[in-house]
Amino acid sequence: MYKAYTRPTHPSAIKTNSDIDFLIVGSGLAGSCTAWKLEQLGLSYRIFNDPNRDAASETAAGFINPITGKWMTKSWQIDQLLPAAKDFYSTLEHKLQCSIYHPLAIRRYFIRATDAVRALRKIKNPRFSPYLKTVLPRGERACAIEDSYGSLIISQGQWVDVPEFLHQLKSYFKKKASLIEGAFDCAQLKPLDPLGQSGWTYRGLKAKRVVFCQGIHSRENPFFKHLNLKPIKGELLTLELPELHLSPGLYHKKHWLQALPNACAEAAGRSHRFRLGASYEEGVSDLTPSSSAKKSLLKSLEAMTDRRPRILEHKVGIRPYTEDAQPLIAQHPQYPSLYVINGLGSKGTASAPYLARQLLQKLGYSD
Ligand SMILES: Cc1cc2nc3c(=O)[nH]c(=O)nc-3n(C[C@H](O)[C@H](O)[C@H](O)COP(=O)(O)OP(=O)(O)OC[C@H]3O[C@@H](n4cnc5c(N)ncnc54)[C@H](O)[C@@H]3O)c2cc1C
């Protein structure tokens, strides 16, 4: 959804003189996971988040798919990321008594004959076998999706309900008065000594370390401009598809179609809701929903079903990417107490808990 950019009114001074361990800028997936880890470790922190700036996390579909891309490759560090994500989100669910982390059935439909050959080869490879369950020939276990060349069942998929995750943590941090809603102005951040080794002061608040988790907005950060993050615009649609009956899960055929779980709709005999996504436009950072992305998504839908959709919502977000497409934790070359977690790309739900843990372990805090 397009969000107009307005500069927020800013508190001229933060009403506290107490020292804290960490100051975090940004409360998308990266910032929220880092803050929650600090909470678990009993460290003190404050989070600044500007509600008038767009956040990729507000658009994220929330899938963790271990096998992705045209060539069905293993997702980056997935063997480490999956257990870290499970541990992180389950602990959060338990502590906050909420439901965020769900198993996700994934079926990938082949779009050319050679895909089946490749999948059959990969399924025998021990590196892939934990995630590739079955290759189904064309027409087997038929469902409402058009099956041209067969399909692949992918196991260990997960779905993080990101809106619920952000909502739960925002309420928690607000209740603790740890979240300050407003723009963080780097010009007001001053080192307490020439290299910031004793910490930093920001409008009366003293912090030992600062972690910037600003997503694509890091490009405006004078301390970390050199990271050269690049934007990749992504769009997704929420749909109603009358008469399309699919079990909840993810159906992938060039793009993905998620059949959302909706027991109430089923009981009332109404159509299920679906999400269709996501487009991928390199180097583009405007937040306007585009007709070309919509057209391309709907074309993929046509290859899956002949049902006509009713579009309920069209969302846009900007994924932050590094040059090598791998997420990063960076320390400032001159000020060792300034850090960045960024470049989460298309996989923030899996990588954010892992990166937060890695940074804190590097700083000597282990859980
Ligand atoms: C269409 C789409 C679908 C996606 N689907 C998936 C998916 O299925 N699975 C998955 O894992 N990932 C998915 N992603 C990717 C995921 O959204 C990103 O990897 C992730 O959200 C990045 O999180 P972040 O915290 O780094 O950045 P963001 O979520 O962008 O958060 C940055 C925050 O910093 C704040 N901020 C920035 N500058 C300042 C400042 N100066 N002062 C105060 N606050 C500031 C912003 O307000 C914002 O809240 C998708 C992305 C898109 C666009």
Side-chain angles (χ1 to χ4, degrees):
M1 188 78 70
Y2 178 70
K3 210 170 179 185
Y5 181 79
T6 51
R7 230 167 235 300
T9 45
H10 198 285
S12 57
I14 311 302
K15 292 187 197 73
T16 172
N17 285 319
S18 59
D19 290 8
I20 53 164
D21 295 309
F22 285 84
L23 207 154
I24 298 170
V25 183
S27 69
L29 278 159
S32 297
C33 288
T34 307
W36 180 251
K37 276 276 173 199
L38 294 172
E39 174 73 29
Q40 298 298 289
L41 290 163
L43 295 161
S44 54
Y45 60 92
R46 290 282 191 293
I47 313 157
F48 280 82
N49 191 67
D50 181 356
N52 290 312
R53 248 171 249 243
D54 59 286
S57 305
E58 284 170 11
T59 308
F63 309 136
I64 302 180
N65 183 350
I67 304 293
T68 56
K70 192 173 169 188
W71 309 115
M72 293 175 254
T73 44
K74 251 171 91 171
S75 197
W76 180 80
Q77 300 274 28
I78 195 67
D79 300 336
Q80 286 76 39
L81 264 54
L82 262 176
K86 183 174 190 310
D87 177 53
F88 179 89
Y89 293 111
S90 324
T91 307
L92 185 91
E93 286 181 320
H94 179 70
K95 291 261 158 69
L96 300 187
Q97 289 298 295
C98 58
S99 179
I100 287 169
Y101 197 62
H102 309 282
L104 179 72
I106 306 179
R107 185 163 177 180
R108 178 176 172 140
Y109 284 83
F110 302 134
I111 54 173
R112 55 185 89 74
T114 48
D115 288 347
V117 180
R118 176 169 287 108
L120 282 165
R121 204 171 49 234
K122 292 208 168 194
I123 214 167
K124 291 189 199 128
N125 180 336
R127 283 185 61 245
F128 286 83
S129 47
Y131 308 110
L132 299 184
K133 210 169 168 191
T134 320
V135 176
L136 296 169
R138 183 181 171 198
E140 203 159 301
R141 281 196 225 165
C143 71
I145 298 285
E146 185 67 39
D147 183 357
S148 320
Y149 297 102
S151 62
L152 170 68
I153 307 289
I154 297 174
S155 42
Q156 299 202 48
Q158 302 292 334
W159 173 37
V160 179
D161 186 341
V162 184
E164 177 67 4
F165 166 81
L166 295 174
H167 164 74
Q168 288 287 341
L169 280 184
K170 187 175 168 184
S171 312
Y172 183 85
F173 296 139
K174 268 185 143 177
K175 232 180 263 167
K176 282 202 68 187
S178 304
L179 174 65
I180 299 160
E181 292 191 289
F184 184 89
D185 178 5
C186 287
Q188 303 297 323
L189 183 67
K190 310 281 182 210
L192 292 172
D193 57 66
L195 295 180
Q197 276 158 328
S198 332
W200 295 80
T201 167
Y202 182 77
R203 297 181 191 269
L205 182 67
K206 277 190 205 158
K208 294 188 187 110
R209 295 181 173 105
V210 184
V211 187
F212 293 102
C213 303
Q214 295 171 272
I216 199 60
H217 304 287
S218 256
R219 295 190 303 172
E220 299 151 26
N221 183 326
F223 295 107
F224 287 100
K225 267 212 154 96
H226 59 277
L227 292 179
N228 273 334
L229 287 171
K230 59 174 183 169
I232 299 193
K233 182 176 177 179
E235 302 184 43
L236 57 88
L237 305 172
T238 305
L239 313 169
E240 250 176 22
L241 282 157
E243 303 299 312
L244 186 72
H245 299 289
L246 284 172
S247 324
L250 196 68
Y251 300 83
H252 189 279
K253 195 173 181 187
K254 193 149 186 256
H255 286 106
W256 51 255
L257 178 71
Q258 182 191 17
L260 291 161
N262 190 345
C264 303
E266 208 160 81
R270 281 190 278 110
S271 343
H272 276 249
R273 294 214 164 163
F274 297 84
R275 292 194 298 174
L276 176 67
S279 65
Y280 199 86
E281 231 182 318
E282 287 188 34
V284 182
S285 58
D286 75 85
L287 289 162
T288 315
S290 79
S291 54
S292 59
K294 183 165 107 182
K295 210 168 140 192
S296 145
L297 292 174
L298 292 175
K299 195 166 172 225
S300 290
L301 182 68
E302 270 173 31
M304 296 190 224
T305 172
D306 56 8
R307 301 286 187 276
R308 291 286 142 257
R310 193 163 80 85
I311 298 171
L312 305 175
E313 192 178 26
H314 184 167
K315 284 178 99 175
V316 180
I318 309 300
R319 308 171 181 97
Y321 263 82
T322 55
E323 268 162 8
D324 64 2
Q326 293 189 358
L328 62 81
I329 299 171
Q331 186 176 32
H332 192 275
Q334 186 187 347
Y335 301 112
S337 49
L338 297 185
Y339 296 88
V340 150
I341 297 182
N342 213 317
L344 274 53
S346 304
K347 298 180 179 153
T349 42
S351 54
Y354 179 76
L355 294 172
R357 189 169 78 184
Q358 292 287 104
L359 172 63
L360 295 174
Q361 278 179 353
K362 181 180 161 4
L363 297 177
Y365 305 107
S366 51
D367 45 11

